[in-house]
Amino acid sequence: MLSWEIPALDEALGGLKKHSFVLIHEADPRARGKEILFHIMREKLRAGNLVGYFNISYPIHALMKAFEVSGIDARKYLREGNLAIIDTFGSFYDIISDLEGVWYLRGSLSADVLPAKYVEVVEAHKRAWAERGMFEGRELYGFAMDMSDYIDMLGGELETLRYLEISAEIRANAKAYREYPKGTNFWLWGRKGSPRILTSVYRRATYVLRVRSELSGSKVVRYLEVLKAPGMGTEIERFTYHFENGVPILEIV
Amino acid sequence: MNGTERVLRMLPAGGVLSLIQSDLESNGELFSLLILRRLLERGDTVFLFLYEPFRVFENNATTVGLNIREHLGKNLYIFDAFGSIYRIPRREEGVHQLSGYLDDSVFIIKLREWAVKTLESREWRNLWIFTYTSTGVCKLFRRPYLVYRMIIAVRELLFNNAEYEGTVLTLSEPECPDISDIAYTVSDIVIETHVVNGRRVGIVTKGANEGEVLELFGGD
């Protein structure tokens, strides 16, 4: 079992199953679910692990600012090779940076060709990790954010649904995933799209956490609910949380 | 210390502050103009990105006791996105508009050209970036979430150096929920403005002073 980097979750869920898919559904931006994902990523990098970040949402310069605000020294990890960024946003909208460790998908892009292009860059970077002997003693994690932005990028829900459902099957057969170590993956889903498409991602995930916030008087109350997990009971596990220096602090309700 | 001063002290040097007007009746937009007034009156330089009609901006500034004409071209420089898109010419010194054909992507390219040219034109000191209101992108562009993310990236590229004090983004959640998510992610400080028990308050929802509640108007 791996760690969630959040003690309350490790305790409640008995750790994080290796190679699982974790879906974090951010019901509203004030819940700051993206920062929970960044927190996990920051701790995984700090412990020396390998991270592939799939940048679906932001121009690279905005992403670097977001990393900085969340205390992730992305330039250092890119340089050292622990962090690889697959810049889907930049590839689609032609915003290219010369940062080391940032990969672009080449040629025309659409829902149909995206799975194969991802496989290509993932394989290329995993080969680089293998050649440098970096898999030894390290875990591999993937973070993708924000998956719901595919709806705009790929031109609609039907295309996105097709992409999501086909790509996992293609991945499973690819050399990048058969011959090299596999990762444990975190996906963030924002508030775009209909329930139909969220349902499909929910079904694929091993764990589903939903974060949301509400106002009680002039106090923001944030909730994290474990909606799906191996070995779950009848009752939905529910936490409130707040941030201290960018670290989410959970308390059981 | 009044609300504006407290908010300005929360912001780290070169940081990004997002003011999100969650309830229209909280008048968070006017509070952000109070911050603008404070910056201009103490002599800082402000680049203001205007996504609302110029007269609406001017009238609301007047409401909070700010006469923008005293500062235009001296320490206030306006990038008039609204007037550029609808081709409403403005002759005032210190107001810049884009000419020619504009769509989502052409706008970003021209915005960047203007910003580079203006920044290089002379020495700037105590420079602030200000938007009134970021939410306007939802009315002006076909794909606002995308344009807004690009604008944020341009800001990062150009204003990420010395002599740069900070950024104040003004958002209005009910009009344009699409852009709040990036505001949360890239901001050092987020303040949402609400009406709670009949009082107009700002709630710090991100940053070192998280949970703090501010009186938006008046107070000590």
Side-chain angles (χ1 to χ4, degrees):
Chain A
M1 283 296 208
L2 306 169
S3 169
W4 286 86
E5 308 300 340
I6 298 172
L9 280 185
D10 281 337
E11 194 176 318
L13 300 174
L16 165 64
K17 226 175 116 192
K18 200 168 166 169
H19 299 157
S20 53
F21 283 95
V22 179
L23 171 66
I24 297 180
H25 177 216
E26 181 188 69
D28 62 279
R30 187 175 54 200
R32 293 168 56 191
K34 298 186 186 75
E35 290 169 58
I36 294 182
L37 188 126
F38 281 156
H39 162 77
I40 298 170
M41 178 171 154
R42 183 184 61 234
E43 296 309 312
K44 294 302 182 194
L45 282 167
R46 203 173 268 169
N49 293 298
L50 306 179
V51 168
Y53 183 87
F54 294 79
N55 177 38
I56 303 160
S57 295
Y58 301 141
I60 188 85
H61 309 94
L63 178 70
M64 297 306 275
K65 168 67 178 170
F67 282 152
E68 179 204 313
V69 171
S70 286
I72 299 170
D73 189 350
R75 284 187 170 79
K76 170 177 164 259
Y77 294 118
L78 283 170
R79 225 173 22 244
E80 291 171 357
N82 291 55
L83 171 64
I85 296 177
I86 293 96
D87 191 356
T88 313
F89 185 97
S91 306
F92 261 83
Y93 301 116
D94 199 23
I95 301 168
I96 310 294
S97 85
D98 51 8
L99 283 169
E100 206 180 329
V102 180
W103 295 80
Y104 293 93
L105 312 169
R106 308 213 175 272
S108 69
L109 297 169
S110 67
D112 293 316
V113 299
L114 197 52
K117 300 213 173 185
Y118 270 143
V119 162
E120 237 172 77
V121 294
V122 168
E123 192 191 323
H125 198 87
K126 281 188 171 176
R127 198 186 313 124
W129 271 333
E131 282 166 6
R132 296 169 66 181
M134 290 184 75
F135 284 117
E136 301 301 314
R138 294 186 172 94
E139 287 294 330
L140 173 60
Y141 296 91
F143 293 86
M145 189 176 99
D146 160 345
M147 300 277 285
S148 75
D149 278 325
Y150 274 134
I151 298 170
D152 289 311
M153 191 179 273
L154 299 178
E157 294 202 358
L158 270 179
E159 287 75 7
T160 307
L161 202 55
R162 189 170 44 139
Y163 159 69
L164 291 171
E165 302 203 327
I166 293 172
S167 69
E169 302 306 313
I170 291 181
R171 262 204 307 270
N173 291 321
K175 191 176 162 201
Y177 295 86
R178 280 184 292 112
E179 296 193 1
Y180 297 106
K182 282 196 291 248
T184 303
N185 290 286
F186 290 83
W187 295 342
L188 187 120
W189 190 272
R191 57 178 171 175
K192 278 182 187 157
S194 66
R196 180 176 63 161
I197 187 158
L198 177 62
T199 306
S200 166
V201 190
Y202 188 107
R203 187 175 297 126
R204 187 165 300 277
T206 324
Y207 296 90
V208 180
L209 313 181
R210 177 175 291 151
V211 294
R212 60 185 179 87
S213 74
E214 60 187 41
L215 207 59
S216 163
S218 54
K219 192 172 161 28
V220 175
V221 187
R222 296 185 171 90
Y223 294 98
L224 182 150
E225 292 164 324
V226 181
L227 302 183
K228 182 179 176 185
M232 66 189 164
T234 303
E235 198 171 331
I236 293 179
E237 265 163 307
R238 220 162 154 232
F239 302 85
T240 58
Y241 65 97
H242 65 279
F243 290 88
E244 280 174 24
N245 300 320
V247 178
I249 311 289
L250 271 61
E251 283 161 76
I252 203 146
V253 179
Chain B
M1 201 182 347
N2 66 21
T4 56
E5 198 55 37
R6 273 168 77 188
V7 168
L8 287 172
R9 285 188 192 191
M10 285 177 198
L11 191 63
V16 177
L17 162 70
S18 284
L19 271 170
I20 303 179
Q21 174 178 266
S22 302
D23 296 335
L24 182 62
E25 301 80 358
S26 64
N27 291 302
E29 290 174 35
L30 291 181
F31 179 71
S32 101
L33 291 177
L34 275 176
I35 294 180
L36 176 66
R37 177 181 153 189
R38 174 91 191 112
L39 297 176
L40 291 173
E41 286 180 351
R42 74 183 193 194
D44 288 3
T45 304
V46 178
F47 278 16
L48 187 135
F49 292 84
L50 184 61
Y51 298 96
E52 303 289 335
F54 182 88
R55 285 159 53 85
V56 170
F57 165 62
E58 186 176 19
N59 287 341
N60 279 303
T62 307
T63 300
V64 300
L66 169 64
N67 180 356
I68 58 166
R69 298 195 183 254
E70 289 173 6
H71 299 277
L72 260 183
K74 297 192 185 81
N75 62 341
L76 173 62
Y77 299 85
I78 295 179
F79 181 87
D80 181 11
F82 185 92
S84 300
I85 295 218
Y86 292 114
R87 308 196 185 289
I88 302 164
R90 297 226 70 89
R91 307 261 173 256
E92 290 85 351
E93 198 197 339
V95 180
H96 181 84
Q97 295 186 321
L98 299 176
S99 55
Y101 171 76
L102 285 178
D103 64 16
D104 290 16
S105 47
V106 174
F107 175 80
I108 296 296
I109 293 165
K110 290 188 172 178
L111 165 71
R112 190 177 160 182
E113 280 171 3
W114 170 78
V116 170
K117 202 172 75 200
T118 311
L119 281 175
E120 287 173 350
S121 67
R122 53 175 253 210
E123 290 270 306
W124 299 93
R125 294 178 57 83
N126 301 332
L127 184 61
W128 289 81
I129 309 300
F130 201 96
T131 67
Y132 185 85
T133 66
S134 295
T135 310
V137 298
C138 279
K139 296 179 278 190
L140 299 179
F141 298 101
R142 202 165 52 86
R143 291 196 288 177
Y145 70 95
L146 196 58
V147 172
Y148 194 64
R149 289 168 188 195
M150 301 291 194
I151 293 171
I152 297 266
V154 169
R155 194 206 74 89
E156 278 305 312
L157 259 175
L158 300 179
F159 300 105
N160 203 354
N161 45 30
E163 291 303 332
Y164 161 66
E165 296 284 318
T167 297
V168 180
L169 306 174
T170 313
L171 289 82
S172 171
E173 173 75 10
E175 282 172 278
C176 190
D178 270 10
I179 63 173
S180 304
D181 90 294
I182 190 172
Y184 259 102
T185 321
V186 302
S187 297
D188 298 272
I189 310 276
V190 179
I191 297 176
E192 290 192 6
T193 68
H194 289 266
V195 175
V196 177
N197 299 326
R199 299 173 70 79
R200 300 186 175 99
V201 294
I203 302 168
V204 183
T205 56
K206 178 175 179 179
N209 300 63
E210 232 164 293
E212 196 172 317
V213 180
L214 308 153
E215 302 278 330
L216 290 181
F217 304 98
D220 57 337

